[in-house]
Amino acid sequence: MTSRPRIPEVAYHPSRWTLRTKLIAGVLVLFTVVMLATSALTVLETRRYLEAQLDESLQSALLRAGDRRGVYEDDGDGPAPRRSAPPGAPGGDNVLVLGLTEDGTVATDTGGYSLNQVILPSGEDGTLDADQIERLSAVEPGETVRVDVGDGVGEYLVTARTLDDGSRFIVGVSTRPVDELLGKLLALVVGGTVVGLVLVGVGGAVVIRRSLAPLDRVAATARQVSALQLDQGDVSLAVRVPDDDADGRDEVGQVGLALNTMLDDVEQALQARQESEMRVRQFVADASHELRTPLASIRGYAELTRRESDPVPQTVTHAIGRVESEALRMQELVEDLLLLARLDSGRPLEREPVDLSLLAMNAVSDAHAASPGHAWELDLPEEPVEVTGDGARLHQILANLLANARTHTPSGTRVVTRLRPEGSMVRISVSDNGPGIPSTLQPKVFERFTRGDDSRSRARGSTGLGLSIVAAVGQAHGGRVEVTSEPGATTFSVLLPAA
């Protein structure tokens, strides 16, 4: 399976633009495309029309220049020159005429009119030089082409006609008026497009900003909800999209209405979750509290049985010992459950200065007495480390971490307890060089009733609540827990706010 190409994470990439920017850019692009298409069509159609007019003028001039029989008119006393345009000068400005004989030389004047004549841009008559005549001579009869006459004369639309005697008339009409008009039209189109882009950009930005203002308010409501603490405690979602932005009559209103509906559903679900959690916590607390009395009674009767002076069979003595042992284990489990239930209910802990250095020394000393086979080490800073909290619960953190290292590592394992200030926090860490924790177990090692695999099993059963109590007590003090583990290096850490 081929992976999709990833879009570069750059701020100027269109995929990273805001919706407002995308809309403005889309409007400008659409306006530009429409203007360019309309302008191109207008310019092309105008050019086609003007060139058709120019070609029509050229053909008219050619017909007048080639009609040699109509050059003179008879007034009764013999032929006399006509006062209208001569063959070589069809009349009007911006024209040229060139007469060539059959052998290619310039024809002589006819009736006093020159057959080598051009109207210069200044409006004066002029004649064509040899280079210009050579350029014009290349025009084939019946062909209509643009020829740059040069020498300040400009470009002409030129055509030629062959007469009966083999001579040729070459007539041209200046393209300057058409080119100037098209240039002005193109400048007008470009200028209008630029001005239109500015006006559409400014006006579109204002309109889009006002149109998206309700969406901004909906987004602000969503951000406000996302900042709420919804993972624990009694949650109340009082934030809603205003009614004006949730009327459902337009697209933004539909989004606001959908968000309000979703918030209603989420609030109901959170309330149901909270009620369920409270019932479970209350049940655990009540059950743990009620079990303490019968468990204490079982232990008492077991001890009383062992004090009997009358002989008791060995099997009965063993059974009573097992009952007492399991009752003690069950009592520890009940105490742990009751502590977790109290922490879950948010019951406040004692808040007083606690010397963690002293707690660490006592906890390590107890661990050494419980398991002399382990190598217990203590790494403390020179100055005492103090925090504010419940001394008994903080001692339980250290005791549980050391008990976890003792029961899940073999004899001879090196266990190091450290205290280190880290800015506004204090880090309590317990490290060992035991077999480590499987990577699949590490994400849930602080969850309740989590037990290690065979590589970290202990001789007697584990309740799976020791590390969960560490996490709960640490969080109740405003701290957090961490774990890193690999074969030969496992570290449990608790970070607490410094005093």
Side-chain angles (χ1 to χ4, degrees):
M1 180 181 296
T2 58
S3 59
R4 297 177 59 185
R6 186 177 180 182
I7 297 176
E9 297 291 334
V10 290
Y12 54 82
H13 195 278
S15 63
R16 308 286 295 175
W17 292 353
T18 62
L19 178 59
R20 181 179 292 108
T21 303
K22 291 180 181 178
L23 288 175
I24 294 176
V27 170
L28 292 179
V29 170
L30 181 61
F31 173 80
T32 303
V33 170
V34 172
M35 284 296 297
L36 289 178
T38 304
S39 301
L41 183 62
T42 302
V43 172
L44 291 176
E45 185 64 22
T46 303
R47 178 179 179 181
R48 186 194 65 80
Y49 174 78
L50 293 177
E51 289 184 347
Q53 293 292 324
L54 189 65
D55 186 69
E56 184 178 346
S57 299
L58 177 63
Q59 296 300 326
S60 177
L62 178 63
L63 290 176
R64 290 198 304 271
D67 189 6
R68 303 180 65 179
R69 292 174 301 174
V71 172
Y72 300 100
E73 57 184 6
D74 190 357
D75 57 1
D77 296 331
R82 176 191 285 183
R83 299 301 180 185
S84 61
D93 297 335
N94 301 321
V95 295
L96 65 82
V97 62
L98 176 65
L100 299 176
T101 62
E102 187 176 2
D103 58 2
T105 60
V106 178
T108 57
D109 292 350
T110 303
Y113 297 94
S114 175
L115 296 181
N116 180 3
Q117 183 181 10
V118 62
I119 305 299
L120 299 175
S122 61
E124 300 176 354
D125 292 348
T127 58
L128 300 170
D129 57 24
D131 181 65
Q132 294 171 341
I133 292 174
E134 182 179 357
R135 294 184 184 182
L136 294 174
S137 300
V139 179
E140 297 294 334
E143 183 183 20
T144 301
V145 294
R146 283 177 173 254
V147 177
D148 186 5
V149 179
D151 294 337
V153 177
E155 192 174 75
Y156 279 72
L157 185 65
V158 178
T159 188
R161 180 180 180 186
T162 303
L163 301 180
D164 295 338
D165 59 0
S167 61
R168 283 190 301 162
F169 278 106
I170 300 174
V171 179
V173 180
S174 176
T175 61
R176 186 179 61 182
V178 174
D179 294 339
E180 290 179 351
L181 181 58
L182 289 177
K184 293 179 180 179
L185 180 60
L186 186 60
L188 180 63
V189 166
V190 173
T193 302
V194 173
V195 173
L197 280 174
V198 174
L199 295 178
V200 170
V202 175
V206 174
V207 173
I208 291 174
R209 182 178 293 107
R210 294 187 60 182
S211 300
L212 293 181
L215 189 59
D216 292 337
R217 293 191 291 269
V218 172
T221 302
R223 286 193 297 269
Q224 189 175 357
V225 173
S226 65
L228 299 176
Q229 296 293 332
L230 306 179
D231 57 340
Q232 59 185 353
D234 189 9
V235 178
S236 177
L237 290 178
V239 180
R240 291 294 186 276
V241 178
D243 293 338
D244 293 340
D245 299 330
D247 56 7
R249 290 179 295 179
D250 56 12
E251 290 78 2
V252 177
Q254 293 173 8
V255 173
L257 184 61
L259 181 59
N260 281 347
T261 304
M262 183 188 69
L263 292 177
D264 293 338
D265 295 340
V266 170
E267 185 176 26
Q268 294 176 4
L270 292 175
Q271 290 176 353
R273 183 214 65 183
Q274 180 66 13
E275 293 174 359
S276 176
E277 289 184 358
M278 292 302 298
R279 287 194 297 266
V280 172
R281 291 172 182 172
Q282 189 63 38
F283 169 77
V284 172
D286 294 342
S288 301
H289 181 75
E290 294 297 330
L291 286 174
R292 297 173 72 185
T293 301
L295 288 174
S297 299
I298 293 174
R299 291 186 59 193
Y301 281 115
E303 292 178 2
L304 181 61
T305 302
R306 287 193 292 107
R307 293 179 182 178
E308 286 292 333
S309 58
D310 296 335
V312 179
Q314 185 65 28
T315 55
V316 175
T317 302
H318 175 73
I320 294 300
R322 293 303 301 157
V323 169
E324 185 178 6
S325 175
E326 292 303 319
L328 179 60
R329 181 170 176 269
M330 186 176 293
Q331 189 172 12
E332 292 177 356
L333 174 61
V334 169
E335 293 293 341
D336 290 343
L337 288 174
L338 185 59
L339 174 60
L340 288 173
R342 290 173 177 173
L343 293 174
D344 289 341
S345 64
R347 183 174 297 183
L349 301 175
E350 294 184 9
R351 308 294 294 178
E352 59 182 8
V354 178
D355 187 350
L356 283 182
S357 300
L358 181 60
L359 288 183
M361 289 188 291
N362 293 335
V364 172
S365 177
D366 295 342
H368 179 73
S371 179
H374 285 73
W376 303 99
E377 298 182 10
L378 187 60
D379 184 3
L380 301 177
E382 296 181 357
E383 298 294 330
V385 179
E386 290 189 354
V387 297
T388 301
D390 190 322
R393 301 281 77 85
L394 293 176
H395 181 271
Q396 191 169 11
I397 286 179
L398 285 163
N400 285 6
L401 290 177
L402 292 173
N404 180 73
R406 181 183 72 247
T407 56
H408 291 285
T409 58
S411 180
T413 301
R414 178 172 175 265
V415 182
V416 181
T417 302
R418 291 186 178 87
L419 293 181
R420 287 290 184 273
E422 293 185 3
S424 61
M425 307 292 286
V426 174
R427 180 182 292 272
I428 306 172
S429 64
V430 175
S431 305
D432 65 71
N433 59 351
I437 305 174
S439 58
T440 56
L441 186 64
Q442 293 182 26
K444 56 181 181 180
V445 71
F446 290 105
E447 296 180 3
R448 298 172 189 182
F449 299 106
T450 298
R451 294 177 175 86
D453 58 4
D454 295 339
S455 64
R456 292 182 64 91
S457 63
R458 58 183 183 176
R460 60 188 181 88
S462 170
T463 62
L465 295 177
L467 293 179
S468 62
I469 290 177
V470 171
V473 174
Q475 292 173 0
H477 282 82
R480 66 180 188 274
V481 293
E482 298 176 354
V483 61
T484 59
S485 180
E486 60 182 21
T490 298
T491 301
F492 286 92
S493 301
V494 180
L495 281 86
L496 301 173

